């Protein structure tokens, strides 16, 4: 049974789970430097997980859910009421979120805004303020079963807020790394902004390819990366085995406007056993 993440997530990997499972080498531990909503974590069965992201709100939520699942879920459920499904209520909560340092409040508001905000987007302005508009949905879904499953599975996971380079340093032989970075633009004119507020540039794309190849060839840790299938990414991943998969784009609010595009799964295999 495929498990859905409790967060809506732009670029989430739910639709690619089977393809990614097929190309992930066997290992004791899965390391994810860009965990996002965690679809791969939820649909694989490793002994241990190291799951990282540079978004502190995301990682704080995951650690709270892991440590206090009953408290978090019961508190979160109270936010999913009709009175909160109004633009004025949403904007008030968003304003409080941006002014608060309280981890529990921010974690509860983060889930609320993910479900009541527009299209499940996660976006911050340059000052670090969450700025996704109200979503105007009839009755946002409270993902209780998904939260409970995540909390149970989280017992096997360590969640850390850090850069992908730091996460690679923590990977050890016996692990496999899966990278789902902010994708390279489909064209040089594409509007390319990062969901966590600091851009993932073309230089970052190249650096990730380098650190992945080094991990595989010199440290014996295989790395699988997903990205758009473009001339650029094929050049970046020239040292990897490339497989193409088709996936539907899910950002468009109009389902009819969602086209299938090619994505690459680039596997850097370990040369040393």
């Amino acid at each position: 049974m495929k498990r859905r993440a409790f967060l809506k997530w732009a670029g989430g990997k739910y639709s690619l789970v089977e393809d990614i499972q097929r190309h992930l080498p066997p290992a004791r531990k899965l390391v994810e430097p860009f965990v996002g909503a965690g679809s791969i974590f939820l649909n694989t069965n490793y002994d241990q997980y190291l799951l990282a992201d540079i978004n502190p709100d995301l990682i704080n939520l995951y650690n709270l859910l892991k440590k206090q699942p009953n408290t978090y879920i019961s508190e979160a459920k109270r936010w999913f009421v009709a009175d909160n499904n109004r633009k004025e209520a949403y904007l008030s909560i968003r304003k409080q979120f941006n002014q608060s340092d309280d981890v529990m409040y921010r974690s509860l508001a983060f889930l609320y805004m993910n479900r009541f905000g527009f299209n499940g987007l996660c976006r911050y302005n340059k000052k670090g303020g969450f700025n996704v508009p109200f979503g105007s949905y009839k009755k946002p879904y409270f993902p209780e079963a998904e939260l409970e499953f995540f909390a149970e599975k989280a017992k096997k996971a360590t969640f850390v807020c850090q850069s992908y380079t730091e996460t690679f340093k923590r990977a050890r032989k016996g692990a496999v790394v899966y990278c789902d970075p902010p994708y390279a633009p489909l064209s040089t004119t594409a509007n390319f902004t990062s969901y966590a507020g600091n851009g993932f540039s073309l230089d970052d794309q190249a650096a990730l390819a380098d650190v992945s190849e080094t991990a595989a060839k010199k440290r014996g840790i295989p790395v699988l990366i997903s990205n758009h299938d473009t001339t650029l990414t094929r050049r970046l991943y020239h040292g990897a085995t490339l497989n193409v998969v088709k996936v539907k784009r899910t950002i468009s609010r109009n389902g009819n406007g969602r086209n299938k595009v090619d994505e690459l799964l680039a596997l850097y295999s370990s040369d040393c056993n």
Side-chain angles (χ1 to χ4, degrees):
M1 176 183 172
K2 259 172 92 174
R3 296 285 182 172
R4 282 197 178 274
F6 65 84
L7 292 170
K8 295 158 78 175
W9 207 254
K13 289 296 169 286
Y14 182 79
S15 63
L16 275 183
V17 159
E18 292 90 349
D19 292 296
I20 291 166
Q21 283 173 334
R22 246 193 325 274
H23 291 101
L24 275 172
R28 292 190 303 276
K29 185 174 190 174
L30 178 66
V31 177
E32 289 196 63
F34 309 88
V35 66
S39 286
I40 303 308
F41 157 60
L42 292 168
N43 289 287
T44 50
N45 191 26
Y46 293 88
D47 294 338
Q48 292 177 290
Y49 294 85
L50 174 62
L51 305 172
D53 203 281
I54 57 166
N55 184 332
D57 290 315
L58 185 71
I59 297 302
N60 285 338
L61 192 171
Y62 288 166
N63 276 318
L64 252 181
L65 184 56
K66 176 183 175 179
K67 292 167 187 168
Q68 303 176 51
N70 295 334
T71 301
Y72 181 83
I73 293 168
S74 64
E75 287 294 316
K77 194 170 190 175
R78 292 166 55 185
W79 293 54
F80 282 66
V81 292
D83 196 50
N84 279 343
N85 196 21
R86 298 176 298 116
K87 185 177 180 180
E88 299 76 20
Y90 177 87
L91 293 178
S92 172
I93 289 168
R94 190 181 75 179
K95 184 179 180 182
Q96 287 176 259
F97 171 88
N98 286 331
Q99 294 172 347
S100 176
D101 293 324
D102 183 86
V103 171
M104 176 60 91
Y105 180 84
R106 285 183 70 93
S107 297
L108 292 166
F110 189 82
L111 174 61
Y112 161 81
M113 292 186 298
N114 176 264
R115 287 282 166 178
F116 287 72
F118 178 72
N119 240 11
L121 291 176
C122 181
R123 194 182 64 198
Y124 301 80
N125 62 28
K126 286 181 179 171
K127 292 181 179 175
F130 193 87
N131 65 357
V132 175
F134 181 59
S136 295
Y137 299 110
K138 195 169 183 181
K139 189 181 180 187
Y141 170 68
F142 180 61
E144 187 163 8
E146 291 86 347
L147 284 160
E148 288 171 349
F149 184 82
F150 191 104
E152 182 61 31
K153 185 109 193 225
K155 292 174 182 176
K156 297 165 72 173
T158 299
F159 300 101
V160 288
C161 182
Q162 62 186 23
S163 68
Y164 74 88
T165 51
E166 291 300 311
T167 309
F168 265 90
K169 287 176 188 172
R170 290 178 62 162
R172 297 288 179 266
K173 202 161 176 185
V176 60
V177 180
Y178 169 61
C179 292
D180 179 26
Y183 275 17
L186 282 168
S187 69
T188 51
T189 56
N191 181 20
F192 190 54
T193 53
S194 165
Y195 75 94
N198 49 343
F200 200 81
S201 67
L202 297 183
D203 286 343
D204 290 317
Q205 299 284 352
L208 175 61
D210 286 344
V211 78
S212 299
E213 187 163 22
T214 299
K217 307 299 181 193
K218 296 189 176 171
R219 299 175 58 207
I221 303 166
V223 182
L224 182 67
I225 308 177
S226 53
N227 212 320
H228 283 141
D229 184 4
T230 67
T231 304
L232 169 76
T233 53
R234 284 180 173 266
R235 283 181 186 155
L236 289 179
Y237 306 144
H238 63 270
T241 302
L242 303 180
N243 286 281
V244 178
V245 293
K246 286 197 180 295
V247 66
K248 277 187 181 175
R249 275 283 149 263
T250 55
I251 300 297
S252 168
R253 196 169 194 185
N254 173 7
N256 298 326
R258 300 179 184 182
N259 300 321
K260 285 201 170 185
V261 296
D262 287 345
E263 294 203 4
L264 276 184
L265 288 177
L267 177 63
Y268 290 97
S269 298
S270 164
D271 283 353
C272 40
N273 295 309

